[in-house]
């Protein structure tokens, strides 16, 4: 019924994206706290999720240490990989995994070289890494962890293992929701939005709509993080209104009133449209998508 679901005390960039993509999923997971049964999950050594977590761990150990030159950081990244890798991603150290292990080690070292080279070239230093930021937004409290903040002045990098093409399209279209949210959180309600960019580690590409803020970046013609955040605010207001009225659309289920969702986030008629994350959803049996082929 209308008004049955109240605003949560705290949202995150991920939960905001879930609400925009599929209010039904958001309501079950975040408002209803309905979770799938616990089960062991073991990814192989090629999982982008696992490799991203591994390289994040390596970079965070580097960033927590003293300021280094690019050459020293490169060597240290290799040493951290050798020392911590077997514990973090054991699959890379099993027999037969030598080519993949060497590839990931090389990517870790090249990422360290690129990031520390960028800092040296522009006179930057690490201001924060994986630090929680909190601000009032979207009718509640918004909180998130920013991958890497360089400065000064502050500029934000989100480190991704792969997906350079998708990230470039998101920047160009103005659909990089999480980057815009990080910029909003970092500014703490004061001053302009800081520049943002993606560093895609496997491809060694630094993508940004503000290339003057990052040395040797790949420029992308697209809106500013502030303009993207304005789209997020508008889309969230519309999405929350339907939830408050008691209407929970399952956007991954195609009906006469619910057309096929886009494969990627897009801006249509000035409105941000986010696709449902059906491939990562635990509720396909509840919305009916699991039985779509039978129907």
């Amino acid at each position: 019924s209308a008004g049955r679901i109240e605003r949560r005390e705290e949202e995150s960039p991920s939960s905001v994206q879930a609400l925009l993509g599929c209010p039904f999923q958001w309501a079950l997971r975040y408002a209803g706290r309905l979770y799938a049964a616990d089960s062991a999950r073991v990814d192989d050594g090629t999982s982008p999720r696992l490799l991203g977590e591994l390289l994040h761990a390596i970079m965070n150990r580097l960033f927590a240490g003293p300021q280094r030159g690019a050459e020293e950081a490169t060597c240290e990244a290799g040493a951290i990989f050798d020392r911590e890798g077997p514990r973090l991603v054991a699959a890379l150290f099993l027999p037969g995994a030598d080519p993949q292990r060497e590839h990931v080690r090389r990517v870790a070292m090249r990422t360290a070289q690129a990031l520390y080279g960028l800092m040296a070239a522009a006179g930057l230093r690490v201001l924060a890494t994986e630090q929680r930021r909190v601000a009032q937004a979207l009718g509640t409290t918004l909180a998130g962890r920013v991958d890497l903040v360089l400065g000064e002045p502050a500029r934000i990098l989100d480190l991704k293992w792969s997906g350079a093409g998708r990230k470039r399209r998101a920047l160009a279209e103005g659909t990089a929701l999480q980057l815009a949210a990080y910029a909003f959180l970092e500014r703490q309600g004061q001053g302009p939005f800081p520049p943002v960019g993606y560093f895609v580690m496997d491809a060694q590409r630094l993508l940004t709509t503000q290339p003057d803020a990052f040395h040797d970046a790949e420029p992308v013609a697209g809106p500013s993080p502030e303009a993207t955040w304005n789209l997020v605010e508008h889309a969230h207001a519309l999405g929350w209104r339907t939830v408050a009225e008691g209407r929970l659309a399952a956007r991954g289920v195609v009906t006469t009133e619910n057309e096929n969702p886009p494969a990627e986030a897009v801006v249509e008629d000035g409105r941000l449209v986010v696709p449902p994350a059906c491939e990562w959803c635990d509720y396909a049996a509840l919305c009916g998508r699991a039985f779509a082929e039978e129907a």
Side-chain angles (χ1 to χ4, degrees), residues 3 15 37 64 83 95 100 106 117 124 138 154 170 194 209 218 238 280 286:
S15 69
R83 184 172 64 249
Q100 178 69 358
R106 187 163 54 251
L124 304 175
L138 309 178
T209 58
E218 183 176 329
L238 293 176
W280 310 112
L286 297 180

Side-chain angles (χ1 to χ4, degrees), residues 166-189:
R166 292 193 306 275
K167 300 307 177 188
R168 182 180 179 86
R169 289 193 294 274
L171 288 171
E173 291 288 332
T175 61
L177 181 157
Q178 294 204 353
L179 265 185
Y182 294 152
F184 173 83
L185 289 170
E186 186 62 29
R187 67 188 285 266
Q188 293 291 296

Side-chain angles (χ1 to χ4, degrees), residues 89-122:
V89 186
L92 286 177
F93 294 81
L94 294 175
D98 296 17
Q100 178 69 358
R101 180 173 67 252
E102 288 305 311
H103 170 66
V104 176
R105 187 179 192 273
R106 187 163 54 251
V107 171
M109 296 176 68
R110 291 179 62 197
T111 297
Q113 184 179 41
L115 293 178
Y116 277 84
L118 179 155
M119 286 189 275

Side-chain angles (χ1 to χ4, degrees), residues 2-295:
R4 181 65 182 84
I5 298 178
E6 299 179 352
R7 288 188 186 272
R8 298 170 69 227
E9 292 183 0
E10 183 176 294
E11 296 284 359
S12 68
S14 295
S15 69
V16 170
Q17 187 162 336
L19 174 63
L20 301 188
C22 181
F24 181 75
Q25 181 201 55
W26 176 89
L28 293 180
R29 179 177 180 182
Y30 293 102
R33 300 181 182 181
L34 180 64
Y35 304 115
D38 289 336
S39 61
R41 175 176 178 174
V42 180
D43 292 336
D44 64 28
T46 63
S47 162
R49 182 192 69 84
L50 201 59
L51 296 179
E53 291 178 357
L54 171 61
L55 263 68
H56 271 84
I58 293 172
M59 294 304 120
N60 287 340
R61 282 164 173 75
L62 277 178
F63 299 146
Q67 188 74 9
R68 297 177 170 91
E71 184 175 347
E72 181 185 356
T74 302
C75 295
E76 183 62 16
I80 295 173
F81 178 89
D82 295 337
R83 184 172 64 249
E84 301 290 339
R87 179 177 64 84
L88 297 172
V89 186
L92 286 177
F93 294 81
L94 294 175
D98 296 17
Q100 178 69 358
R101 180 173 67 252
E102 288 305 311
H103 170 66
V104 176
R105 187 179 192 273
R106 187 163 54 251
V107 171
M109 296 176 68
R110 291 179 62 197
T111 297
Q113 184 179 41
L115 293 178
Y116 277 84
L118 179 155
M119 286 189 275
L124 304 175
R125 60 186 178 87
V126 176
L127 299 181
T129 175
E130 293 288 352
Q131 286 194 6
R132 177 178 162 90
R133 296 284 191 264
V134 180
Q136 294 301 305
L138 309 178
T140 184
T141 298
L142 180 70
R145 292 187 180 275
V146 182
D147 274 3
L148 177 61
V149 183
L150 302 177
E152 294 181 357
R155 58 209 73 189
I156 295 170
L157 278 179
D158 195 12
L159 308 183
K160 299 296 185 185
W161 168 257
S162 59
R166 292 193 306 275
K167 300 307 177 188
R168 182 180 179 86
R169 289 193 294 274
L171 288 171
E173 291 288 332
T175 61
L177 181 157
Q178 294 204 353
L179 265 185
Y182 294 152
F184 173 83
L185 289 170
E186 186 62 29
R187 67 188 285 266
Q188 293 291 296
Q190 299 178 355
F193 279 57
V196 299
Y198 288 113
F199 187 86
V200 184
M201 296 179 281
D202 192 17
Q204 293 292 293
R205 294 170 66 182
L206 199 169
L207 307 169
T208 179
T209 58
Q210 299 149 295
D212 292 344
F214 300 97
H215 176 72
D216 202 23
E218 183 176 329
V220 179
S224 67
E226 182 174 8
T228 298
W229 179 249
N230 290 337
L231 290 174
V232 173
E233 289 184 314
H234 180 64
H236 184 272
L238 293 176
W240 173 253
R241 187 171 66 193
T242 65
V243 171
E245 292 171 353
R247 294 184 288 120
L248 301 175
R251 296 209 173 109
V253 180
V254 179
T255 66
T256 54
E257 297 180 357
N258 201 25
E259 299 178 354
N260 273 315
E264 297 181 359
V266 295
V267 177
E268 295 180 346
D269 300 324
R271 185 170 68 91
L272 176 62
V273 179
V274 176
C278 294
E279 65 273 27
W280 310 112
C281 183
D282 295 319
Y283 313 112
L286 297 180
C287 73
R289 184 179 171 85
F291 312 111
E293 291 186 5
E294 297 178 14

